[in-house]
Amino acid sequence: MSDQGKRQRKPAIGYTRTSSAANIGDDKDSVVRQRKAIQAHANRAGYKIVAWFDDPAVAGSDMIDVRPGFMAALERIASNGVRTIIVETANRFARDLIVQETGWKRLQADGITLIAADSPDQFVDDTPTAVLIRQILGAVAQFDKAMTVAKLRGARERKRRKTGGKVEGRKSWAERSKEDAKVAEMVEAATRLQGQGLSLRDIAAELDKLGHRNERGATFSPSSVKSMLA
């Protein structure tokens, strides 16, 4: 592409989301795969990715206003005039149909275009047919996720009945608190902050100030704080 063509590329923000902590890390390919797909579409469609924002270990059912990465992207948009966000697939934006539709409507109201790299027109067209197709695809994705969760739960239950013991997985915060004094201190602090009426997001921010961060050294997501307080 000529220098003139490069200058004419439209600015866009790339957004990735990984729902499971097990898919996070230098040896995992989830974020890498998502970024490659986003960048490939940007190259084809004449966009330049000016910033990347990630939401690791954030569920697809979490509303966009409790996602640190996505809210940071919106703050960046408000300051630099970029009006396009590109995701790998609609599911990466939100797997829950209601979250997907309400989130998209909010972006649309703010004049922000959301593009799914694998189906560029999915969030662009607002005709009745396009809305129906988007909702059907969202419902199918939500159903597929629910079926996967149910299958995994069923497999764990079968193994538990067969072995007669606990099927090991990620330990709960309560279990980890019994084994790690620092974790116990963190959970106690989160509980105290909840008692003060703070939101999950504010609790995460306060924990960060106290030096309590996740395995990657980043601020806990609201969903992580919620599980911590469960």
Side-chain angles (χ1 to χ4, degrees):
M1 178 179 290
S2 66
D3 291 340
Q4 182 178 2
K6 291 180 180 179
R7 286 196 297 271
Q8 292 175 345
R9 282 182 174 271
K10 297 164 287 187
I13 281 174
Y15 173 73
T16 69
R17 180 188 63 78
T18 306
S19 58
S20 173
N23 291 328
I24 300 168
D26 295 337
D27 59 334
K28 308 299 181 181
D29 68 347
S30 180
V31 172
V32 173
R33 185 201 68 240
Q34 291 180 58
R35 288 195 176 195
K36 284 183 177 179
I38 292 169
Q39 188 63 66
H41 174 74
N43 294 341
R44 290 192 304 268
Y47 288 97
K48 178 183 179 182
I49 303 298
V50 296
W52 293 96
F53 291 90
D54 307 313
D55 267 322
V58 169
S61 57
D62 286 354
M63 301 297 287
I64 63 174
D65 59 356
V66 298
R67 302 181 186 184
F70 202 88
M71 294 310 293
L74 294 184
E75 290 176 6
R76 176 69 178 271
I77 284 175
S79 65
N80 67 6
V82 177
R83 283 295 175 268
T84 303
I85 298 176
I86 304 177
V87 295
E88 180 196 24
T89 66
N91 295 347
R92 286 300 141 193
F93 172 58
R95 193 175 293 275
D96 183 276
L97 177 58
I98 300 301
V99 175
Q100 190 177 109
E101 280 296 299
T102 55
W104 174 70
K105 285 292 186 182
R106 172 179 172 178
L107 296 179
Q108 187 184 49
D110 290 339
I112 300 170
T113 299
L114 178 67
I115 298 176
D118 70 328
S119 181
D121 295 331
Q122 186 165 345
F123 290 109
V124 176
D125 293 341
D126 198 23
T127 63
T129 299
V131 172
L132 176 62
I133 292 174
R134 184 168 60 249
Q135 291 178 342
I136 290 174
L137 291 175
V140 170
Q142 189 173 340
F143 174 76
D144 181 64
K145 175 66 173 181
M147 288 297 293
T148 300
V149 171
K151 288 177 181 178
L152 292 173
R153 184 185 300 117
R156 289 195 297 269
E157 288 299 326
R158 287 192 297 274
K159 184 174 181 180
R160 184 177 290 110
R161 288 194 297 269
K162 183 177 180 180
T163 62
K166 178 180 177 180
V167 179
E168 288 299 328
R170 185 177 179 83
K171 293 182 179 179
S172 68
W173 286 106
E175 291 173 319
R176 294 166 65 185
S177 294
K178 296 177 181 178
E179 302 172 355
D180 190 322
K182 186 171 178 61
V183 172
E185 177 187 344
M186 177 178 65
V187 173
E188 182 180 349
T191 303
R192 183 177 65 255
L193 292 167
Q194 182 188 39
Q196 296 174 9
L198 272 66
S199 67
L200 295 176
R201 193 175 183 184
D202 288 339
I203 292 174
E206 290 300 318
L207 289 178
D208 185 87
K209 292 178 183 178
L210 293 172
H212 299 303
R213 302 179 181 87
N214 62 24
E215 296 90 338
R216 302 174 305 283
T219 304
F220 281 105
S221 67
S223 59
S224 294
V225 174
K226 183 177 180 180
S227 66
M228 194 184 300
L229 294 169

